[in-house]
Amino acid sequence: MDNLKALDKEFIANTYGRFDLALVKGKGSLVYDENGKEYIDLSTGIAVNAFGIADDEWKQAVIDQLDCIQHTSNLYYSIPQVKLAKLLCERTGMKKVFFANSGAEANECAIKVARKYSSDKYGDDRNVIVTLVNSFHGRTITTLAATGQDVFHKSFGPFTGGFVYCPANDFETMKKLCEENNVCGIMMELVQGEGGVIALDKEFVKNVEALCKEKDYCMIIDEVQTGNGRSGNLYAFLEYGIKPDVVSTAKGLAGGLPMGACLIGEKCENTMGTSSHGSTFGGNPISAAAACSIISRIDDEMLAGVKKKSKLVIEKLSGLVLDDNFVPTGIAGNDDKAAFDELMKSYKPGIWPSVKPGIKCVSGMGLMLGILPDAAAKDVVIKCIENGVIPLTAHEKVRLLPALNIPDELLVKGLDILAKVCGELA
Ligand SMILES: *Cc1c(COP(=O)(O)O)cnc(C)c1O
């Protein structure tokens, strides 16, 4: 490990603050470091390995495609691309797909679609996109500009213009920003991931949808992290019951291979003409074949499983008992109604208060959940790794992004260790 760290420091651009860990192999939700130490994986490479490590069906889909052809360029028709695009459209009601290689690139396409739609119809001046404070949309110069966190807006300017930021769930400010700017679109994550695993209020999202419809703005939903089953629905917008104009996704889409996609709805179906956008690797056959395998396996049964596991995590880490709609009905093993009522004063949908020592609350949706520990999130993660469990951080939260099919026993074992660590560090 010391040698690896020295070589990393010498030869790799120092852009990452790494944890003291080198994972070398695994199976499903168990991973191993170079000394053979075993870990329960609650992070899946930041929501990428949708079905864990080296999943058999996924692996076979990749191998089958490797045996055919690994790359053709987008000058020619592609069977795996067409198969995947059809699958995505049929499952979401969206009309067209542009394939990219990452989340940031999927968002670049989404931004281009919104601007071109508006430019074609209303002229070039109507080009501002409203995003949310505390959002995260990527690391390119433009997606950094779209990201509503000041820390990202240092040192790399000038940034792409035309972005303004609205606090999440503040519809009055949203309307005001739309009146004051020449807006063509509104872009947001339905569950802010990097920003702290916070689900947006349904009412706010519905209001934004209505506003976009009324003013002919493009509603762009960034599902890079929430997408591909993680929310408990194939895409979180389906859970919210809205019809966005553009949806971007990436991370878990190809189950561990690089792939991004920009799904385009009816309104902008014909916006992007020939030569308006492109990518050498975009829709690579191996990634596309892998994604076909992943998306076709995320069926109703799989999604019901994600919701069941979600409930398990929230109950385990909050100490609450939930009904089928995730509404708390009591404190596990405690009949004290007054104590429960007191606790529920801080409850709102998407944020569950916790009675577990060292844990303040649990938040999020599906298998994209965060806990607010008493201790510093990073210290919790370091101690968890020492104890054979790998969670992530997101601002002050500890973030959990386990595989969609993590066995319940492993999940519970990992959560017990996490809860114990939170209690010990509090
Ligand atoms: C990770 C993430 C991105 C960026 O994706 P990359 O593949 O790293 O470019 C964009 N938006 C959201 C919501 C993300 O979680």
Side-chain angles (χ1 to χ4, degrees), residues 102-104 107 136-138 189 194 222 224-225 251:
S102 66
N107 283 336
F136 182 80
H137 297 296
E189 301 153 90
E194 310 297 316
D222 179 343
V224 172
Q225 195 162 156
K251 288 197 166 86

Side-chain angles (χ1 to χ4, degrees), residues 103-104 107 131-132 135-139 143 146-148 187-189 222:
N107 283 336
T131 67
L132 298 187
S135 57
F136 182 80
H137 297 296
R139 299 281 195 162
T143 55
T147 293
M187 175 169 178
M188 53 199 205
E189 301 153 90
D222 179 343

Side-chain angles (χ1 to χ4, degrees), residues 127-350:
N127 56 37
V128 173
I129 294 175
V130 187
T131 67
L132 298 187
V133 172
N134 205 36
S135 57
F136 182 80
H137 297 296
R139 299 281 195 162
T140 63
I141 292 289
T142 297
T143 55
L144 278 179
T147 293
Q149 301 187 49
D150 287 340
V151 289
F152 289 103
H153 299 156
K154 288 199 182 111
S155 314
F156 300 108
F159 288 94
T160 308
F163 291 95
V164 297
Y165 316 101
C166 174
N169 300 322
D170 181 352
F171 189 61
E172 286 310 309
T173 303
M174 178 63 83
K175 279 196 297 195
K176 198 162 152 270
L177 285 170
C178 289
E179 276 159 24
E180 289 167 356
N181 294 280
N182 224 340
V183 169
C184 70
I186 298 174
M187 175 169 178
M188 53 199 205
E189 301 153 90
L190 293 174
V191 184
Q192 295 191 322
E194 310 297 316
V197 205
I198 308 157
L200 295 186
D201 292 346
K202 266 201 167 136
E203 195 190 321
F204 172 73
V205 174
K206 288 264 183 201
N207 282 336
V208 170
E209 182 191 31
L211 181 67
C212 287
K213 206 163 185 182
E214 183 199 328
K215 307 274 189 190
D216 200 20
Y217 301 154
C218 281
M219 185 187 207
I220 305 171
I221 301 299
D222 179 343
E223 297 238 24
V224 172
Q225 195 162 156
T226 52
N228 315 303
R230 188 142 295 279
S231 69
N233 216 310
L234 186 59
Y235 292 95
F237 80 82
L238 299 165
E239 193 69 28
Y240 275 78
I242 55 167
K243 260 189 98 169
D245 300 302
V246 183
V247 175
S248 57
T249 190
K251 288 197 166 86
L253 176 59
L257 289 173
M259 172 163 255
C262 180
L263 317 185
I264 303 166
E266 204 169 349
K267 185 160 98 180
C268 307
E269 183 176 6
N270 299 312
T271 297
M272 299 301 270
T274 305
S275 302
S276 63
H277 201 33
S279 164
T280 298
F281 281 115
N284 168 272
I286 311 287
S287 296
C292 278
S293 163
I294 296 288
I295 295 298
S296 54
R297 280 169 72 194
I298 304 176
D299 55 12
D300 289 347
E301 197 186 330
M302 176 69 67
L303 293 169
V306 169
K307 286 193 174 162
K308 242 180 83 198
K309 290 178 203 301
S310 179
K311 196 169 156 209
L312 183 70
V313 177
I314 298 164
E315 289 187 332
K316 267 266 163 200
L317 296 177
S318 69
L320 296 170
V321 181
L322 306 181
D323 69 14
D324 287 344
N325 297 314
F326 289 73
V327 177
T329 57
I331 301 171
N334 180 348
D335 292 336
D336 187 345
K337 174 110 179 35
F340 176 67
D341 289 344
E342 184 57 33
L343 189 69
M344 281 310 102
K345 283 180 185 162
S346 62
Y347 165 77
K348 66 185 216 108

